[in-house]
Amino acid sequence: MNKLLKISIVASLVLGFSSTVTAGKEPSLAEKAVKYRQAGFEVMAWNFGAMGAMVKGEMPFDAKVFADKADKVSFSSKLVMEGFEVKGSEKGYHTEAKPAVWKEWDKFKEGMDKLQEQTTKLAEIAKTATTVEEVKAQFAETGKACKSCHEDYKQD
Ligand code: ASC
């Protein structure tokens, strides 16, 4: 191996190591909590968005795909609350949650419970539905549950 190559390998190892030490700090629990709840909402938005396309007729209705997505939305709606319960996650880390979440905790929790109720119902209906007509009303109800909390608790 030539000398220059050796030097550059050693240099990159040293630099790599020092940057791990300085920049590779383990994120705080609060930061992880923000990321966790945002990930849950991303899962919901991804799946709910595709369901919306089917409901609006922008995408052909596929009962199996719709039911699978309804399940994923229902599951992830049950994860996110935990991410709000961690102290220090009220601000920073690019959170879009308004301080009202913690100021009106009981009301916020009611909204989250309502969301879980609605997504569970949607998944139940979707399980046996064969036409888009059967899921339309409950899809709309679920969307309302998303939206009512966004207005009060999410910075858009
Ligand atoms: C979505 C999405 C939301 C909700 C909301 C429903 O697909 O990303 O935040 O639906 O718009 O009203």
Side-chain angles (χ1 to χ4, degrees), residues 10-25:
V10 171
S12 64
L13 286 174
V14 170
L15 283 175
F17 179 71
S18 61
S19 67
T20 316
V21 170
T22 54
K25 240 187 342 149

Side-chain angles (χ1 to χ4, degrees), residues 25-123:
K25 240 187 342 149
E26 173 76 353
S28 65
L29 193 64
E31 181 172 5
K32 286 184 188 171
V34 172
K35 283 188 177 151
Y36 180 70
R37 68 197 188 213
Q38 288 180 340
F41 286 117
E42 288 293 337
V43 171
M44 273 188 260
W46 175 265
N47 290 286
F48 202 68
M51 291 158 77
M54 287 189 212
V55 166
K56 283 187 240 154
E58 296 166 358
M59 201 192 266
F61 180 72
D62 182 322
K64 201 160 168 275
V65 171
F66 192 96
D68 177 61
K69 291 194 170 293
D71 249 348
K72 286 168 178 161
V73 169
S74 162
F75 178 75
S76 50
S77 77
K78 295 178 179 82
L79 308 178
V80 290
M81 194 58 183
E82 196 182 338
F84 290 95
E85 289 165 356
V86 174
K87 272 214 165 59
S89 73
E90 299 86 347
K91 48 180 191 252
Y93 316 114
H94 307 287
T95 185
E96 289 169 42
K98 289 183 184 170
V101 166
W102 294 274
K103 272 191 218 128
E104 302 169 10
W105 185 256
D106 291 347
K107 203 173 145 228
F108 176 69
K109 190 173 182 320
E110 259 174 48
M112 280 296 207
D113 289 345
K114 173 98 180 161
L115 176 71
Q116 291 179 22
E117 234 173 74
Q118 297 301 332
T119 60
T120 304
K121 214 164 153 186
L122 182 60

Side-chain angles (χ1 to χ4, degrees), residues 41 44-46 48-50 139 142-148 150 154:
F41 286 117
M44 273 188 260
W46 175 265
F48 202 68
F139 180 83
T142 309
K144 274 189 220 161
C146 305
K147 206 167 174 202
S148 70
H150 284 180
K154 183 178 181 241

